[in-house]
Structures are given as structure tokens and as C-alpha cells.
């Protein structure tokens, strides 16, 4: 929360003409943007090209930008997503393929979670498998909610859905959680707690 | 018959507070959830499963490699500069680069002058400037922390960042000082507010550096310069002490004025960018150049001047002062690795080049007053730049070891 306020302040200073604030926004959000972009493609250079476009656009349009921006990161994510999708569209034309819908992909590192425990391989693989069985949009909404901790409004903007649909999508996604947790991993919870505490 | 609400896994996972307390637990959040658990509002099983879920869906939050991040930033900046350059062309060379910049030039005389105002602080930062002379050519950039710890950096330039907590980062590496400075500073600023402690950055000839202060103000520190600044600014004013040349972008904060003190004047701004310059050895006037905004300059004689954009205030050794309109970019372009001048004495130019590159240059008296106008790209090799000068003026130079000697081309 504090970080958000801080970035919003930087944003206002940037719109008012402070180049240093602009550099700081890059410094603070750059890493997350790259990580976010890599969920849509494994092409790291493409993500960086798009990030460059996002920041250059900001600089160009500085005078036209809203001064008050509650969630700068969400704004940057939307901009990056649009740039990435534009790039995909271009490559679709280039390869003359019908569709090449960019999908949100996540590699869960459940292994790390249990790295210190004696969990057998089979169980680990099972958890991972269940998570991987989620649809791309479910992955995406889970990412926004539990990794980036965004609000429903922000997620709605990013996924072009209304708030209620976001809630529904998220509920459906986490209903699976109940199943998978109860069936396979509850026995491990104590170990996990040891790990996280 | 339960009258109270029981949270299910789903409800927990939809709850903002649950998510934030799982990912960033605090004492408060722990107590809050313990209370709910102990009183049966939440079942332990459900709570633990929901917690596990949140942890399980975390994907690795890798960072960009430092170099990678810097390179991408460079690409962005180059692109922006290109766009800016086009704009400038369109706007009839209205210098946007210099927009929101104030340049202050202070060619300072060597007469030692101590501030009349008795400092409340136990350490007099002005005295720090007096006692310490700029290190000779070839020395390292030097950072002296409040506890007198001295650190040297061999690089040609250093990037020093200070944050609100009093931590210091150099070239993106956090110095191990943080805890130490941090806790000490907290006490100092809270309990004994008048006891401000200072860091110092000393940049020798031939080097340069950037410096980010704890309030977000950024300084470009030119060769042969010395800056003294408080580890943490006090609440009423932000004061730093400068000898040499710095260009500042002051973080705007109307309620806490920013003051730059030199031995002959002080400059007060509310939040903007400006350049301060004061080389001992040159017997130049003191100058203040303002690009946009407004600054107040107070000289040692108590004279107070308010400057308008594009004005240059110059303050001679004998106390005479004049104000004229100038192209301010001439005075601040050094930070972009350029040097521009209009009918400047060759001796002044050579002096600055000598400081910038950290090499000795001497010259015969006959060429001292040659006037020169033009632009030099300081990112080039020194000898290329000197060759450029010989094309602009009827001069030649010879090289003797590391020393250069200029004379009239007869």
C-alpha cells in the first residue's frame, strides 16, 4: 500500500516534468513488468522491446497523462499487455497463421515450496499437475490476485471484464484449491508451515 | 445454531486482508487471525489450506539482471532524447533539455570565509569543506560517511544513492553501513534533533559522479568537487554544502526549502533543478544561472537577489554584481558530457578541460585572452577535443609526458 502511494507520488512528479521521478518509476516497476510479460511469451527480448515502447510512449504523452494515478503498476501492466498483443498480431500477419492468441502461462515452482521437506516426488508432481490443469485465464486471475495483490477493479481492467465476472472467475479457480489441498497435500501442511515460518 | 459467520476457504481466498497477511504477515495480522482461529470464526484446517494455496501459486519473482536493466534504461533514454531532439528542432531551439533547470555558477575566490551565522550543530559542515581539499589528479572518488568511514571508488564515475533510512548505495551496491547508520540516525533525528550528521562525497579531477539524496534530489557532481550533505535532512529545511560544480534536480517540496550553501553565497529553491559551480583555482566570478522557476540568492554581503528564468547573476570577487540574460544550456551541458561556450577566454576552457580529464594543461600568456565559441563533446578522447580546439583557433599544443602545452601557432 505504502509502495503504491509512493509510486503515485512519483507519477505525479513525472507528469509535472520531473525526469528523475520517471527513472524511479522504471526502477521500481521494471522488474515486475518483465516478470509479468514473460507470462505471455518466453521471448525475453520481445518483452523488453515492449517495455521500451511503453516507457517511451509515457514520455511522449507526458503532458496528456492523468496526474492522479492510483495504481501505476496496473496502468503499466495494461500498457505492456497491449504492446505485447500488438506484437503478436503483427507476427500472426507475418506468418500468415489464423490465430496466435497469446495465453497466460505460469510455471509453478512447487518444488521450492517443499524443498526442505521429505515430501515424496509423487506428491509434489501431483500438486503441480493440478495447478497446471487450470485454464490460462484462471492462471492469470490467480496471478493478479495472489502475486500482484491487485483489486478486483484493477483485474477487471487488465482482463477486460466487469468486477462481478472477475469474482466469479476467481471463485471457480479457487474451488479447485479446496479439492487439491484436501486430497493431496493436507498431510504436508505442517511441514510447509515450518518452511514458511 | 451458529449465529456468527464462519469463513470458508473460498471466502478467505477472496479476502484482501487474508491475502496481504499471508504474504506480508505483521504482528497485528497474526493476532487478528489467531483471534479468529481461537474463537472458531475460522477453522484451522480451512485457514491452513487457504494459506497453502496462496503460497503454492506464487511464481518465481526473478529480477532483471542489473546490467540488463541498465541497458534497457539506456535504450529508453536514447529513444526519448531522439524524440526530444526533434521537438527542439520544431520549437526553434527552445531548449527543452534545460527546461526546469537552474544553473548556478560560482567561481569562488580562495579567501576563506566562514559563515557568520552560528551553527546549532556540533559539526560545522562548512568547516568540513574548508579543511578538506580536493584530492589531486588520479585519486579515487571518495565517500566519507558520518562515522568518518572513508570509502574509495576506482571507477571513472560513481553513482551514489541515499535513501530516507540513511542507507547508502554506491553503483547499485548497498554499503553494509545501513543498519549502523540507520539505527543511529533514527535516534539522532528523533531524540537529539539538533545533532545532524553529514556524509561527504569528494570527486577528484578527471572523475565525475551522480548522487541521489534521501529526499529524492539528484546531483551530478563534476570533476574536482566536494559535497557535504546530511545523512537525513531535518524537517524544516534541506541544506547541503558545495565546493566545485554540481548540477541538481531538486525534489519538489514546498514546505521544506532546499538550500545550497557555498562559501560566498547561499541559494534557496523550493524544488527545481540547478547547477552550482565553484572551482577554487579559477579566478572567476561567482555565477548563478536560472532556467525556469525562481531562486533566491543571498551573497555574503547580505545582498538578496531573486532571479528570473534565463538570467545569470554574476558576483565578482570585489563584490560587484550584474544580471544578464543567457542561454542556460551553455552552463549545464557538462552533465550531458558536452561543453558549450560563447566568446569564452581560452584559458578558462583549458582549465575546465584539465579538470574534466584530470590531465595537466598549461599555456602561454599570449593565448590566454583568445575568445572562443563553440561546442565540445567531452565524451570523446581528450586529444580529439584538443585537436578540435586547434582547428577553431590559431593555436597548437605539444605533449610532454602527461602534460600538454598550448601556444600560438605562428
Amino acid at each position: 500500500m505504502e509502495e503504491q502511494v509512493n509510486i503515485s507520488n512519483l507519477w505525479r512528479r513525472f507528469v509535472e516534468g520531473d525526469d528523475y521521478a520517471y527513472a524511479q518509476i522504471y526502477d521500481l516497476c521494471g522488474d515486475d513488468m518483465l516478470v509479468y510479460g514473460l507470462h505471455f511469451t518466453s521471448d525475453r527480448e520481445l518483452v523488453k522491446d515492449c517495455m521500451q515502447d511503453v516507457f517511451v510512449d509515457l514520455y511522449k504523452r507526458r503532458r496528456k497523462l492523468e496526474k492522479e494515478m492510483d495504481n501505476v503498476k496496473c496502468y503499466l501492466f495494461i500498457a505492456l499487455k497491449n504492446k505485447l498483443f500488438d506484437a503478436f498480431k503483427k507476427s500472426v500477419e507475418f506468418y500468415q497463421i489464423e490465430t496466435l492468441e497469446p495465453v497466460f502461462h505460469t510455471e509453478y515452482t512447487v518444488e521450492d515450496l517443499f524443498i526442505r521437506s521429505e515430501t515424496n516426488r509423487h506428491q509434489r508432481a501431483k500438486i503441480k499437475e493440478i495447478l497446471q490443469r487450470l485454464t490460462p485465464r484462471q492462471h492469470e486471475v490467480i496471478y493478479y490476485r495472489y502475486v500482484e495483490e491487485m483489486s478486483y477493479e484493477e483485474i477487471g481492467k487488465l482482463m477486460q471484464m466487469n468486477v462481478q465476472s472477475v469474482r466469479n472467475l476467481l471463485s471457480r479457480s479457487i474451488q479447485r484449491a479446496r479439492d487439491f489441498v484436501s486430497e493431496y497435500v493436507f498431510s504436508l501442511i505442517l511441514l510447509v508451515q515450518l518452511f514458511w515460518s | 445454531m451458529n449465529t456468527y459467520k464462519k469463513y470458508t476457504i473460498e471466502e478467505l481466498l477472496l479476502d484482501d486482508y487474508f491475502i496481504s497477511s499471508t504474504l506480508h504477515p505483521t504482528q497485528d495480522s497474526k493476532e487478528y487471525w489467531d483471534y479468529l482461529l481461537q474463537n472458531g470464526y475460522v477453522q484451522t484446517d480451512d485457514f491452513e489450506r487457504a494459506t497453502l494455496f496462496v503460497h503454492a501459486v506464487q511464481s518465481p519473482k526473478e529480477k532483471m539482471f542489473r546490467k540488463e536493466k541498465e541497458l534497457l534504461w539506456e535504450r529508453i533514454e536514447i529513444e526519448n532524447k531522439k524524440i526530444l531532439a526533434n521537438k527542439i528542432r520544431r520549437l526553434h531551439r527552445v531548449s527543452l533539455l534545460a527546461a526546469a533547470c537552474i544553473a548556478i555558477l560560482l567561481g569562488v575566490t580562495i579567501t576563506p570565509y566562514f559563515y557568520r551565522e552560528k551553527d546549532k550543530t556540533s559539526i560545522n559542515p562548512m568547516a568540513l569543506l574548508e579543511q578538506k581539499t580536493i584530492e589531486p589528479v588520479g585519486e579515487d572518488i571518495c565517500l566519507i560517511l558520518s562515522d568518518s568511514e572513508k570509502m574509495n571508488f576506482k571507477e571513472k564515475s560513481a553513482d551514489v544513492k541515499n535513501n530516507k533510512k540513511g542507507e547508502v548505495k554506491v553503483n547499485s551496491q548497498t554499503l553494509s553501513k545501513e543498519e549502523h547508520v540507520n539505527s543511529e540516525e533514527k535516534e539522532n533525528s528523533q531524540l537529539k534533533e539538533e545533532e545532524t550528521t553529514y556524509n561527504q562525497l569528494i570527486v577528484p579531477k578527471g572523475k565525475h559522479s551522480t548522487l541521489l539524496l534521501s529526499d529524492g534530489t539528484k546531483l551530478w557532481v563534476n570533476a574536482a568537487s566536494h559535497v557535504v550533505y546530511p545523512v537525513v535532512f531535518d524537517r524544516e529545511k534541506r541544506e547541503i554544502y558545495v565546493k566545485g560544480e554540481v548540477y541538481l534536480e531538486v525534489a519538489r517540496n514546498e514546505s521544506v526549502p532546499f538550500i545550497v550553501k557555498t562559501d560566498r553565497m547561499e541559494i534557496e529553491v523550493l524544488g527545481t533543478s540547478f547547477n552550482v559551480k565553484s572551482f577554487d583555482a579559477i579566478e572567476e566570478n561567482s555565477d548563478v544561472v536560472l532556467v525556469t522557476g525562481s531562486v533566491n540568492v543571498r551573497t555574503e554581503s547580505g545582498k538578496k537577489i531573486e532571479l528570473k528564468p534565463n538570467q545569470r547573476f554574476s558576483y565578482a570577487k570585489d563584490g560587484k554584481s550584474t544580471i544578464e540574460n543567457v542561454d542556460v544550456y551553455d552552463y549545464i551541458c557538462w552533465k550531458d558530457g558536452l561543453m558549450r561556450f560563447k566568446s569564452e577566454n581560452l584559458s578558462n576552457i583549458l582549465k575546465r578541460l584539465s579538470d574534466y580529464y584530470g590531465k595537466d594543461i598549461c599555456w602561454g600568456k599570449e593565448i590566454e585572452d583568445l575568445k572562443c565559441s563553440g561546442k565540445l563533446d567531452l565524451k570523446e578522447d581528450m586529444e580529439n577535443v584538443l585537436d578540435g580546439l586547434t582547428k577553431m583557433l590559431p593555436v597548437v599544443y605539444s605533449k610532454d609526458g602527461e602534460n600538454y602545452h598550448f601556444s600560438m601557432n605562428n
Side-chain angles (χ1 to χ4, degrees):
Chain A
M1 229 26 215
E2 201 179 298
E3 192 190 6
Q4 267 189 26
V5 173
N6 179 21
I7 300 181
S8 295
N9 283 339
L10 286 173
W11 179 272
R12 198 183 52 250
R13 276 168 45 198
F14 155 61
V15 175
E16 285 169 354
D18 183 344
D19 279 358
Y20 182 66
Y22 173 69
Q24 276 194 315
I25 292 172
Y26 170 79
D27 205 35
L28 287 170
C29 299
D31 294 309
D32 287 347
M33 283 172 79
L34 183 81
V35 171
Y36 173 61
L38 287 173
H39 282 285
F40 290 103
T41 171
S42 55
D43 185 344
R44 206 177 174 95
E45 289 312 308
L46 176 70
V47 176
K48 286 196 280 182
D49 287 346
C50 290
M51 282 171 68
Q52 177 183 342
D53 290 347
V54 168
F55 277 98
V56 171
D57 275 1
L58 285 184
Y59 203 79
K60 259 195 269 186
R61 299 192 300 116
R62 175 190 269 186
R63 281 153 199 276
K64 293 172 200 147
L65 295 170
E66 285 288 327
K67 266 193 192 179
E68 301 307 323
M69 182 71 71
D70 287 341
N71 192 336
V72 176
K73 204 153 119 188
C74 176
Y75 180 92
L76 293 172
F77 274 23
I78 294 173
L80 179 61
K81 193 179 180 184
N82 290 338
K83 289 281 177 207
L84 278 168
F85 280 34
D86 286 349
F88 283 126
K89 265 184 226 152
K90 265 185 208 149
S91 63
V92 170
E93 281 158 29
F94 184 75
Y95 293 112
Q96 299 190 318
I97 314 169
E98 284 293 301
T99 52
L100 186 69
E101 183 64 15
V103 292
F104 194 92
H105 175 81
T106 302
E107 198 67 53
Y108 294 105
T109 46
V110 183
E111 282 89 348
D112 294 348
L113 193 60
F114 301 112
I115 207 146
R116 289 192 207 164
S117 75
E118 298 289 311
T119 327
N120 72 47
R121 240 200 227 123
H122 173 74
Q123 278 171 311
R124 274 189 247 168
K126 202 78 204 169
I127 299 166
K128 203 170 164 182
E129 191 196 312
I130 289 165
L131 282 172
Q132 293 295 5
R133 235 187 274 150
L134 298 169
T135 67
R137 283 183 85 71
Q138 287 173 333
H139 283 306
E140 194 173 352
V141 76
I142 284 174
Y143 175 79
Y144 294 139
R145 190 74 182 129
Y146 301 109
V147 180
E148 287 297 341
E149 296 175 74
M150 288 177 167
S151 70
Y152 293 110
E153 286 77 15
E154 287 160 359
I155 298 173
K157 280 184 205 152
L158 271 157
M159 301 185 76
Q160 296 178 319
M161 293 163 80
N162 66 40
V163 171
Q164 192 49 49
S165 314
V166 174
R167 278 182 159 274
N168 294 344
L169 176 62
L170 189 66
S171 303
R172 273 199 309 281
S173 317
I174 58 185
Q175 264 158 30
R176 295 197 174 201
R178 162 170 255 161
D179 309 337
F180 99 77
V181 178
S182 51
E183 275 178 49
Y184 298 101
V185 279
F186 187 60
S187 60
L188 309 172
I189 282 173
L190 286 175
L191 290 166
V192 173
Q193 277 187 325
L194 280 176
F195 175 72
W196 280 100
S197 57
Chain B
M1 288 304 287
N2 287 345
T3 50
Y4 54 79
K5 188 170 178 296
K6 247 192 179 151
Y7 287 97
T8 63
I9 293 188
E10 281 85 356
E11 281 164 334
L12 287 173
L13 285 173
L14 289 170
D15 187 73
D16 280 332
Y17 190 61
F18 174 77
I19 299 168
S20 71
S21 33
T22 305
L23 294 174
H24 328 281
T26 63
Q27 198 54 41
D28 279 353
S29 75
K30 273 184 199 141
E31 279 167 18
Y32 175 81
W33 292 107
D34 278 350
Y35 173 83
L36 292 189
L37 285 165
Q38 276 160 19
N39 291 281
Y41 292 97
V42 182
Q43 273 194 342
T44 314
D45 280 8
D46 290 341
F47 184 78
E48 283 171 348
R49 288 170 199 193
T51 305
L52 180 66
F53 177 82
V54 173
H55 288 312
V57 297
Q58 296 301 313
S59 45
K61 270 216 154 183
E62 58 173 319
K63 295 216 159 181
M64 264 192 268
F65 307 109
R66 193 164 69 86
K67 197 76 205 152
E68 184 183 30
K69 197 168 177 182
E70 284 170 11
L71 283 174
L72 179 56
W73 177 245
E74 273 170 31
R75 275 160 54 186
I76 293 169
E77 282 202 306
I78 289 168
E79 201 57 38
N80 285 340
K81 274 196 184 128
K82 269 191 222 157
I83 293 163
L84 208 56
N86 289 336
K87 254 189 203 163
I88 288 172
R89 226 167 285 144
R90 265 182 276 135
L91 292 170
H92 305 283
R93 303 197 62 245
V94 172
S95 178
L96 278 192
L97 269 179
C101 301
I102 305 165
I104 296 174
L105 271 101
L106 304 154
V108 159
T109 50
I110 317 160
T111 20
Y113 171 80
F114 295 97
Y115 256 83
R116 276 176 216 106
E117 143 186 15
K118 280 268 177 286
D119 244 310
K120 287 171 288 179
T121 56
S122 48
I123 314 157
N124 182 348
M126 235 26 220
L128 289 176
L129 279 185
E130 295 297 337
Q131 65 178 246
K132 195 84 201 170
T133 46
I134 303 297
E135 315 266 315
V137 181
E139 291 288 323
D140 299 330
I141 295 171
C142 175
L143 182 67
I144 305 172
L145 297 181
S146 52
D147 54 359
S148 306
E149 175 137 348
K150 208 168 157 178
M151 268 164 291
N152 291 325
F153 304 98
K154 296 234 174 299
E155 289 87 349
K156 217 176 149 13
S157 66
D159 177 30
V160 183
K161 290 182 180 164
N162 295 268
N163 69 14
K164 282 206 177 76
K165 293 182 222 145
E167 293 168 3
V168 183
K169 260 187 193 179
V170 179
N171 297 337
S172 300
Q173 266 187 306
T174 305
L175 301 177
S176 51
K177 307 305 303 167
E178 51 191 275
E179 262 177 304
H180 184 89
V181 176
N182 192 359
S183 54
E184 199 176 78
E185 266 336 291
K186 259 191 194 146
E187 261 170 44
N188 276 0
S189 59
Q190 281 166 7
L191 302 176
K192 312 173 258 173
E193 213 158 308
E194 68 273 27
E195 233 172 71
T196 317
T197 51
Y198 295 90
N199 290 344
Q200 301 181 61
L201 179 67
I202 300 169
V203 181
K205 289 181 180 185
K207 305 273 172 97
H208 44 267
S209 183
T210 56
L211 172 63
L212 175 65
L213 300 180
S214 57
D215 65 332
T217 293
K218 187 167 185 182
L219 285 82
W220 281 258
V221 184
N222 209 349
S225 302
H226 185 174
V227 183
V228 177
Y229 61 95
V231 179
V232 178
F233 284 113
D234 79 36
R235 259 166 253 163
E236 276 148 34
K237 57 185 174 181
R238 297 172 283 171
E239 276 184 344
I240 66 163
Y241 307 84
V242 171
K243 191 171 214 169
E245 179 166 28
V246 292
Y247 169 80
L248 298 96
E249 283 180 4
V250 177
R252 185 172 282 278
N253 187 348
E254 251 98 300
S255 52
V256 188
F258 196 97
I259 298 162
V260 177
K261 289 189 172 182
T262 73
D263 57 357
R264 289 191 72 206
M265 55 171 76
E266 58 179 70
I267 305 105
E268 181 181 329
V269 278
L270 296 177
T272 183
S273 322
F274 57 99
N275 192 67
V276 178
K277 181 174 169 188
S278 68
F279 287 116
D280 275 337
I282 314 180
E283 301 214 347
E284 262 182 277
N285 295 341
S286 301
D287 293 272
V288 179
V289 181
L290 173 63
V291 181
T292 59
S294 83
V295 290
N296 290 319
V297 184
R298 202 155 58 89
T299 64
E300 60 186 336
S301 59
K303 190 171 177 174
K304 203 173 170 184
I305 301 102
E306 194 187 327
L307 282 188
K308 294 203 176 68
N310 296 317
Q311 282 187 337
R312 171 188 182 203
F313 166 71
S314 95
Y315 185 50
K317 275 187 297 174
D318 58 10
K320 274 187 199 151
S321 60
T322 49
I323 294 178
E324 59 179 333
N325 287 321
V326 293
D327 184 346
V328 287
Y329 192 59
D330 291 352
Y331 298 88
I332 61 162
C333 58
W334 63 268
K335 78 173 180 75
D336 300 327
L338 295 173
M339 193 166 142
R340 288 208 310 192
F341 35 83
K342 283 186 197 111
S343 29
E344 182 75 70
N345 286 351
L346 182 58
S347 55
N348 284 339
I349 295 166
L350 292 178
K351 178 73 192 68
R352 285 188 207 166
L353 288 176
S354 161
D355 284 347
Y356 191 89
Y357 289 105
K359 298 273 163 63
D360 280 334
I361 304 177
C362 52
W363 54 86
K365 254 213 157 351
E366 76 279 6
I367 66 163
E368 220 162 60
D369 294 330
L370 284 175
K371 299 283 189 219
C372 183
S373 300
K375 190 168 92 176
L376 298 174
D377 187 346
L378 301 180
K379 292 185 286 294
E380 286 188 43
D381 275 357
M382 181 181 187
E383 292 193 9
N384 286 344
V385 173
L386 297 185
D387 287 342
L389 277 180
T390 62
K391 280 172 194 138
M392 290 155 84
L393 295 165
V395 292
V396 287
Y397 70 91
S398 56
K399 194 180 167 189
D400 174 20
E402 287 290 282
N403 299 329
Y404 295 82
H405 187 268
F406 271 79
S407 58
M408 209 63 142
N409 184 11
N410 293 315

